[in-house]
Amino acid sequence: MRTAKQTFKHGIHPPENKEETNGLPIRQFSFAPLIILPLAQHIGAPSKLVIREGQEVVRGQILAESDGYLSVPLHAPVSGLVKRISNVPTISGKMTTGIYLEPFPSSTQEILDGEPINLDAASPDDILMGIQQAGIVGLGGAAFPTHAKLKIPDGKHCDTLIINGIECEPYLTTDHRVMLEQSDDIFLGIKYLMKATAAKRTIIGIEANKQDAADLLQERLPKNEAISVEVVPVKYPQGAEKMLITSLLGKEVPSRGLPIDVNAVVVNVATTAEIGRLLPHGRGIQERVITITGPGVKKKGNYLIPIGTPLRYVLEQVGVDESVSEVYMGGPMMGVAVANLDISIVKGTSGVVVFNKEQIEQAPQVYPCIKCGACVDACPLSLNPSKLGILAKFESYEKMAEEYHLMDCFECGSCSYVCPSHIPLVQYFRLSKSIIRKRKVA
C-alpha cells in the first residue's frame, strides 16, 4: 500500500462529521407499503415501460427497458402488484412518469436470476451489455450509465482503472462501509472492469480517514493481479474524478476533457461492488446502500434500501426530531435540499442528511464581492469564481463559458463555502450552465 504524497491544488477542509456512522454496519431496510419508481433515474433517456397497470411482478423482473444506448433498464425492487402508472414527484420539482408498486406482504421476496455473465468466457462487449442490462449507473451520485462510461472511444486506450473510494462528502459513509463489508464483490467487479476496459492496472484510491478500509483491502488483494491500494490526503473535493486522477497519477485532465484523455477510467467503489455482485447471477439492481444521518436523525446508520422507497417512509422508520428544518439528498456540499418528502430513493441517492433548525441559519445577507480571492484559492480547477459570479449577474453567459471555462465547473461548492460575502456562487453557475445548454439546443 502506497501513500500518495501529491494532491491537487487548492480545495477546502469542511468538518467531516462521519464518526457517528462510519462504524455502523450495513443493515437491511424494511419494505415500504408502496414503492414509487420514476422511470428517469439516470443521465440519458428514461427507461421505457414494458409492464401495465394491474400486472403482478416478481423481484428482479424488468419493469422498463433501456430506451437507446444512453439508457438502462429498471428492475422491480419487490415482488408485488403494479397499482398504477402515472406522474410521480422528483427531486428537481418536476413530475415524471413512474410506477406505483405495492409489495406482496406474504412474498419471500427472493430475487430472480437471469443470464449470468461468465467472466472467463465473456468478451468486453458482453460485459458492457451485462452491465447495461443490470441497470447499473454511477452510485456516487452522478447516475451516469456505467456501460457508456466504460466504452473506450476509437483511438483511445485505458492504461489505469481507478476505483474511487474517496467519499469526501461530509456525513456520508456509504462507500466506507461497502469497502469494509463487500470486498469480495469489489475485487470481482474489478476483474470485470479490467476486462471490459483492457486496463493494464487498477488503483483503489482511499482517503486517509478510511485507513481501516485501506488496510482490509490491502490484506485481501488478489495475488498475481495488477491491483494496488493508495491512500491520499483528506481534502475536499478529492472524490471528483479529475482531482483523484491528479492525486494518484500526477496528470491533469484537459479542459472539457474526460479521464480517458489521460488514459484512465474512474469508477465508484459501490458501483464496482454492484458489478461484482450482480453480473455473476445476471441480476438487475434493486437496492443500494445509503447513509442516513445528520443531527435530526434518531437511528443513524448505513442501510441497504430498496430503490423506490419513499423518503417520507424512510424518515418515519429512522425517526427524526420535531425541529427538522432541512433534508438533503446526498451530502451538504453537493447534495440537494428537498422540497417534497414524497420523492423516492433512486439509484443515484448516496445519502440522506437531516438538519434541525439549530444547525440551519437563516439565509445570510448577500454582500457585494470584496475581491478577497478566497474563492480563487479554494477552486480545485483554478477557475475564477469571483469573475464568473459577476458575469452571471450581468447575464454574460457566453463570456462565462468561452473565456472563463464555466462548463469545467462541477459544482463542488468550495467557492460558496469560503465566500465571506455569502454569495451563492454555485447557484449562479448552475443556472448559467442551464441557460447555456438550452441556448445550444435552441
Side-chain angles (χ1 to χ4, degrees), residues 118 133 176 219 273 291 300 310 338 381 402:
N118 184 292
Q133 287 303 306
H176 191 168
E219 180 185 327
T291 302
K300 301 176 179 67
V338 305
L381 291 175
E402 293 169 10

Side-chain angles (χ1 to χ4, degrees), residues 372-417:
C372 68
C375 60
V376 178
D377 290 338
C379 180
L381 291 175
S382 298
L383 302 179
N384 188 333
S386 171
K387 184 66 175 179
L388 285 166
I390 293 169
L391 291 172
K393 197 171 182 179
F394 288 97
E395 300 182 1
S396 301
Y397 303 123
E398 282 71 22
K399 189 171 184 178
M400 293 172 71
E402 293 169 10
E403 296 183 29
Y404 291 90
H405 306 284
L406 170 68
M407 305 311 284
D408 282 335
C409 169
F410 55 88
E411 301 167 21
C412 70
S414 296
C415 54
S416 297
Y417 183 83

Side-chain angles (χ1 to χ4, degrees), residues 78-361:
V78 297
S79 295
L81 178 70
V82 178
K83 294 293 287 184
R84 71 180 190 273
I85 297 169
S86 62
N87 282 341
V88 302
T90 65
I91 194 168
S92 68
K94 297 179 181 178
M95 301 292 283
T96 186
T97 304
I99 302 166
Y100 290 82
L101 181 59
E102 185 180 89
F104 293 137
S106 58
S107 171
T108 62
Q109 297 296 348
E110 293 181 6
I111 306 171
L112 285 177
D113 273 6
E115 184 83 27
I117 305 298
N118 184 292
L119 177 61
D120 295 326
S123 68
D125 285 341
D126 292 336
I127 294 173
L128 295 182
M129 179 64 72
I131 290 171
Q132 182 178 21
Q133 287 303 306
I136 298 172
V137 301
L139 299 184
F144 190 85
T146 302
H147 71 281
K149 184 176 188 176
L150 297 173
K151 182 68 175 177
I152 309 300
D154 292 339
K156 304 282 187 180
H157 68 277
C158 175
D159 288 332
T160 307
L161 171 68
I162 295 175
I163 305 302
N164 188 344
I166 300 300
E167 197 169 43
C168 59
E169 183 78 43
Y171 285 98
L172 303 189
T173 55
T174 296
D175 292 348
H176 191 168
R177 295 311 309 180
V178 165
M179 288 187 284
L180 288 172
E181 300 182 45
Q182 300 178 8
S183 59
D184 289 344
D185 291 336
I186 291 169
F187 287 124
L188 183 54
I190 288 172
K191 290 181 180 179
Y192 278 107
L193 289 169
M194 290 186 74
K195 189 166 187 179
T197 60
K200 298 179 176 63
R201 61 168 179 162
T202 293
I203 301 173
I204 305 173
I206 304 175
E207 258 189 337
N209 57 4
K210 304 172 190 63
Q211 190 63 50
D212 54 346
D215 291 340
L216 184 141
L217 293 179
Q218 177 67 33
E219 180 185 327
R220 298 185 180 180
L221 280 177
K223 291 185 172 64
N224 304 318
E225 298 282 352
I227 305 173
S228 61
V229 176
E230 295 199 20
V231 177
V232 296
V234 177
K235 185 165 64 167
Y236 180 87
Q238 188 94 243
E241 59 183 19
K242 290 183 179 181
M243 308 300 88
L244 185 55
I245 287 171
T246 298
S247 296
L248 294 178
L249 304 181
K251 297 179 180 179
E252 184 174 324
V253 178
S255 176
R256 304 300 301 275
L258 297 170
I260 196 61
D261 294 326
V262 292
N263 306 322
V265 171
V266 183
V267 182
N268 169 265
V269 71
T271 308
T272 305
E274 285 300 311
I275 291 170
R277 184 174 75 90
L278 298 175
L279 262 61
H281 303 282
R283 292 175 179 171
I285 185 168
Q286 338 84 32
E287 56 194 359
R288 63 153 299 159
V289 181
I290 294 171
T291 302
I292 304 176
T293 186
V297 176
K298 295 178 180 177
K299 300 177 184 175
K300 301 176 179 67
N302 302 289
Y303 296 93
L304 186 61
I305 298 184
I307 291 162
T309 302
L311 179 58
R312 188 181 300 277
Y313 177 81
V314 169
L315 298 181
E316 288 172 355
Q317 296 303 301
V318 299
V320 294
D321 295 340
E322 293 181 1
S323 60
V324 167
S325 177
E326 287 188 1
V327 178
Y328 280 77
M329 284 280 217
M333 293 298 293
M334 293 188 72
V336 178
V338 305
N340 185 350
L341 295 182
D342 293 318
I343 63 175
S344 302
I345 300 299
V346 293
K347 294 179 182 180
T349 306
S350 55
V352 176
V353 186
V354 181
F355 294 99
N356 294 328
K357 291 177 182 176
E358 302 86 68
Q359 289 85 37
I360 301 296
E361 301 177 0

